[in-house]
Amino acid sequence: MVRSPTLPCQLAATPAMLECAAALVRADCWLVPERRQELTTEGGLDVLAGGAALRAACDRLAVAGVRVALFIDPEPAQIDAAAECGVPVIELHTGVYAESSGQRQAQELRRLEVAARHAAA
């Protein structure tokens, strides 16, 4: 077993990636959606759709000593689903906010604020 406690990683919740992350015993690991054509992550992980398989992935990493974070959209239902997975950390996707301007950006900022308050509660 190799320990790399100071190097966090981002990965898709695929069997091969989970095996690698568990073997390396990272201190922190972010589960993110991964699509082949993306240059960067374009949205949050759909925790609601991930269901039992995603919960099992989170549990597997936690048992290996990895603190798991989920990269999700700022939606209360996704935040609640992340809590049900037992993860101690979430990261909110801010892409819509970053790519917007004016009134739309102000709306997205409010959406992020509401999501952050919901998560903290």
Side-chain angles (χ1 to χ4, degrees):
M1 182 181 307
V2 176
R3 281 206 167 268
S4 298
T6 61
L7 299 173
C9 63
Q10 292 184 353
L11 57 113
T14 64
M17 295 300 289
L18 293 171
E19 175 89 17
C20 181
L24 290 175
V25 190
R26 301 286 184 160
D28 297 300
C29 179
W30 281 261
L31 296 182
V32 300
E34 191 172 276
R35 297 169 192 88
R36 289 189 177 269
Q37 286 71 32
E38 286 182 328
L39 295 178
T40 187
T41 306
E42 296 174 358
L45 184 64
D46 189 346
V47 184
L48 291 168
L54 185 58
R55 171 128 193 162
C58 293
D59 289 346
R60 178 176 182 194
L61 291 172
V63 166
V66 178
R67 184 175 70 158
V68 181
L70 299 179
F71 180 71
I72 61 175
D73 288 324
E75 299 172 4
Q78 293 294 343
I79 294 166
D80 293 343
E84 290 174 14
C85 283
V87 298
V89 179
I90 61 167
E91 179 182 357
L92 299 176
H93 178 252
T94 60
V96 176
Y97 168 78
E99 293 175 2
S100 61
S101 61
Q103 184 60 30
R104 172 64 187 209
Q105 191 173 54
Q107 290 171 337
E108 284 302 313
L109 180 58
R110 281 191 293 280
R111 182 174 162 221
L112 286 161
E113 290 170 342
V114 167
R117 278 193 215 88
H118 184 77

